[in-house]
Amino acid sequence: MALLTVKNLKLGYESDVILDGLSFTVDKGDYLCIVGENGSGKSTLMKTLLGLMKPLGGEILTSDGLSRNEIGYLPQQTLVQRDFPASVWEIVLSGCQNSRRLNFFYSKKDKALARKNIERMGLNSYMYKCYRDLSGGQQQRVLLARALCAAKEVLLLDEPVAGLDPIVTAEMYDLIDSLNNDGITIIMISHDIAAATRYASHILHISSDLFYGTKDEYLRANTSNSFIGIHDSDLLKGKIVNG
Amino acid sequence: MDKLILYMQYPFVRYALIVGTLIALCSSLLGVTLVLRRFSFIGDGLSHVAFGAIAIASVCNLTNKMLLVLPVTVACAIFLLKSGQNTKIKGDASIAMISVGALAFGYLLMNVFGTSANLTGDVCSTLFGSTSILTLTAFEVWLCVILSAVSVLLFILFYNKIFAVTFDENFAKAVGTKVDTYNLLIAMVIAVIIVLAMNLVGSLLISALIIFPALSAMRIFDSFSKVTILSALISVLCALSGILISIVAGTPVGSTIVATQAVMFAICCVLGKLGGKLA
């Protein structure tokens, strides 16, 4: 049984349709990578999956007892967070907000969950450190731990490696991969097509022609080649302009 | 010292101390989230709106100005916090626009329709705070005590939610927290506190009560809970000492409190630099 079924989804802002006729399913334990150019509607799709936006048409079905706000979400960092005075512990614990009951304070269970996820992300020694003093990779791990607190079984990651150096990027991917191996379903938005084809089990390519299928099918199809092709010519242009 | 003890025997001095402390406490609590969300100027904007509302109220000869001032300010606060993110006129610009607009219209109204003999004095005392904190009635003191108690209680109850919404609105929304409701709540509490605080420091200086304690505390501490607690302590301490100094030295209450806050900020900066950041 699929955890998440998207049927004929139509996305956009009022008169401006960005994306139409999108259908895909996510099964338990999948690692789905959503790739596509800037402005293709990746972020809009993600907001819709999270229930922050209403689709123009089509439907999103969840099953296996998964409710929409049990998707753990790793957003991109905002400007506000850069110099926010908060400890790692406070931030991870804030992942335990639960919508169903109005609880003013965190329970012992919440705290145990937060502690477990801090440990899982290898952040034990940073528990009471300030978020703004951490490196980019560590900050991402803090946000990942927070997402895990909110997640039942699905994690939605929005460009988790943006702005990280190659070594930390590789560590981040390994970490996400290990979570996937532990049985957590991953939905990741990425620009990094190489990593997508390396780690993902399924790929959703959003552009003028939509593609959804397993990684192997994707590699055989043309869509990937044209995407990589566009990248190359962009790089070339950049080089000429720069020097 | 003798002078101080002598003054303490008067009820109006005790009232002023009680009200001043409570207002300082409330404004500093919310100040932390406002500063972090880049809404430092909201105090300024709203207090100018309140000034405009007071002008209208006095032109209409309302006996209880609060009845008009409070709802108008609350409405503006809601509008400003709501329009903060995704609009064409960005948060800071809309705050600036509303604040100067209300100020201009307020003064205009008072000038054209004003009945008071001492117009400049009235305007000046509304802007910079007046001796009105020393002329509080028992009713006003009770009103202030009750509203402050409600604000502090709400803040403590919703502390965790406020943190979540301040740190990451989108994440909070995604996990099902009712972000809009909490924003509304924050806006309303801020508006109430600002209207109360106008008695203490006047329209122009209110921002200081909101931002100085938070900024001072952030120089020293690195976690949200500690910053919040320290900013409350700093704010209460500064308000108390400011009022006492102004009584003894005969200086204006509002500006003395703000001056104390500024000095405290400088001290915290030095402490933060010297001691490094305490965890």
Side-chain angles (χ1 to χ4, degrees):
Chain A
M1 183 76 187
L3 272 180
L4 201 68
T5 311
V6 174
K7 270 188 202 157
N8 216 6
L9 199 65
K10 186 174 174 183
L11 298 176
Y13 300 87
E14 284 159 35
S15 60
D16 191 15
V17 176
I18 303 176
L19 209 60
D20 201 355
L22 180 68
S23 301
F24 63 92
T25 55
V26 180
D27 288 319
K28 204 171 160 48
D30 274 4
Y31 191 145
L32 172 70
C33 239
I34 303 175
V35 294
E37 291 106 83
N38 287 336
S40 58
K42 296 193 300 279
S43 305
T44 316
L45 171 62
M46 183 201 66
K47 281 183 194 155
T48 316
L49 286 179
L50 288 166
L52 300 180
M53 262 178 75
K54 284 205 164 60
L56 293 179
E59 50 185 349
I60 301 171
L61 303 168
T62 55
S63 55
D64 283 354
L66 178 78
S67 109
R68 194 71 68 77
N69 49 36
E70 283 165 6
I71 298 177
Y73 171 42
L74 179 78
Q76 293 190 42
Q77 281 207 42
T78 62
L79 202 67
V80 172
Q81 290 163 3
R82 295 258 159 76
D83 58 345
F84 202 98
S87 66
V88 170
W89 170 246
E90 285 176 311
I91 293 171
V92 176
L93 195 59
S94 79
C96 300
Q97 319 160 39
N98 203 314
S99 54
R100 279 166 303 165
R101 53 211 158 94
L102 184 66
N103 264 6
F104 293 122
F105 303 104
Y106 296 115
S107 64
K108 274 201 177 118
K109 219 171 105 197
D110 292 336
K111 285 178 181 164
L113 183 67
R115 202 164 281 131
K116 194 188 97 191
N117 284 320
I118 287 175
E119 225 163 86
R120 199 172 184 182
M121 290 295 113
L123 291 165
N124 265 349
S125 48
Y126 299 100
M127 191 113 108
Y128 299 108
K129 284 261 159 50
C130 178
Y131 179 77
R132 64 183 162 192
D133 296 337
L134 301 180
S135 70
Q138 289 164 339
Q139 290 184 344
Q140 261 331 34
R141 275 190 281 157
V142 173
L143 297 186
L144 197 55
R146 179 185 64 166
L148 283 170
C149 286
K152 273 276 161 62
E153 38 201 339
V154 185
L155 271 184
L156 211 159
L157 315 173
D158 189 0
E159 298 188 26
V161 298
L164 301 182
D165 69 46
I167 297 171
V168 180
T169 298
E171 283 172 10
M172 195 71 200
Y173 278 131
D174 285 340
L175 197 61
I176 296 168
D177 203 37
S178 73
L179 290 175
N180 185 232
N181 291 335
D182 289 346
I184 293 175
T185 311
I186 307 273
I187 303 173
M188 179 166 84
I189 288 179
S190 176
H191 280 297
D192 189 350
I193 200 109
T197 50
R198 189 163 152 220
Y199 291 101
S201 65
H202 290 74
I203 287 182
L204 173 68
H205 188 124
I206 301 179
S207 64
S208 45
D209 47 340
L210 293 167
F211 174 90
Y212 170 70
T214 62
K215 179 173 72 182
D216 297 333
E217 288 166 353
Y218 182 66
L219 287 174
R220 263 181 266 125
N222 287 334
T223 335
S224 61
N225 297 334
S226 74
F227 191 50
I228 293 165
I230 290 165
H231 257 257
D232 284 348
S233 68
D234 276 351
L235 283 177
L236 214 58
K237 253 187 252 159
K239 255 182 207 155
I240 294 163
V241 172
N242 288 336
Chain B
M1 204 61 206
D2 289 343
K3 203 174 170 184
L4 214 55
I5 294 163
L6 179 72
Y7 276 119
M8 284 308 247
Q9 287 163 354
Y10 296 102
F12 68 86
V13 176
R14 292 201 296 268
Y15 286 164
L17 281 172
I18 294 170
V19 170
T21 313
L22 287 175
I23 291 171
L25 176 67
C26 295
S27 54
S28 65
L29 286 181
L30 282 162
V32 180
T33 151
L34 287 182
V35 167
L36 288 169
R37 298 173 85 180
R38 306 292 189 269
F39 270 124
S40 297
F41 255 106
I42 202 162
D44 226 33
L46 288 179
S47 61
H48 292 178
V49 170
F51 171 79
I54 286 179
I56 296 172
S58 51
V59 165
C60 301
N61 268 325
L62 291 181
T63 41
N64 197 343
K65 291 176 185 171
M66 281 288 180
L67 288 180
L68 182 76
V69 178
L70 212 52
V72 169
T73 317
V74 169
C76 278
I78 293 167
F79 171 74
L80 284 176
L81 274 190
K82 279 226 153 180
S83 68
Q85 281 83 34
N86 307 315
T87 43
K88 287 202 176 121
I89 301 176
K90 286 287 172 213
D92 60 337
S94 59
I95 291 175
M97 201 173 68
I98 289 183
S99 109
V100 288
L103 199 59
F105 275 106
Y107 186 53
L108 210 59
L109 279 174
M110 279 177 128
N111 229 325
V112 176
F113 300 105
T115 46
S116 162
N118 180 16
L119 181 73
T120 331
D122 278 1
V123 172
C124 193
S125 67
T126 325
L127 288 180
F128 289 103
S130 55
T131 46
S132 71
I133 185 144
L134 297 175
T135 57
L136 293 167
T137 61
F139 169 75
E140 283 170 314
V141 175
W142 277 113
L143 183 74
C144 182
V145 169
I146 292 165
L147 287 177
S148 316
V150 172
S151 309
V152 172
L153 193 70
L154 282 176
F155 185 85
I156 293 171
L157 282 180
F158 290 104
Y159 168 80
N160 286 321
K161 303 284 182 189
I162 290 174
F163 171 79
V165 172
T166 310
F167 183 72
D168 198 334
E169 226 180 282
N170 279 329
F171 179 84
K173 222 183 250 178
V175 295
T177 302
K178 294 184 191 65
V179 172
D180 294 333
T181 318
Y182 293 116
N183 278 343
L184 201 70
L185 186 78
I186 293 175
M188 279 163 50
V189 174
I190 289 164
V192 171
I193 290 171
I194 281 168
V195 173
L196 289 177
M198 280 190 66
N199 279 328
L200 184 60
V201 293
S203 299
L204 284 184
L205 298 175
I206 276 179
S207 285
L209 278 189
I210 294 178
I211 59 173
F212 265 127
L215 287 173
S216 304
M218 278 181 220
R219 296 305 111 194
I220 294 187
F221 281 127
D222 258 356
S223 84
F224 193 75
S225 54
K226 285 176 185 163
V227 166
T228 307
I229 293 169
L230 183 65
S231 83
L233 286 177
I234 287 178
S235 187
V236 168
L237 187 72
C238 287
L240 277 180
S241 48
I243 295 173
L244 289 177
I245 290 170
S246 78
I247 289 172
V248 173
T251 50
V253 182
S255 24
T256 312
I257 294 176
V258 177
T260 326
Q261 301 264 25
V263 171
M264 190 52 124
F265 177 73
I267 294 172
C268 287
C269 274
V270 173
L271 282 179
K273 281 262 154 54
L274 283 181
K277 285 278 161 84
L278 306 166

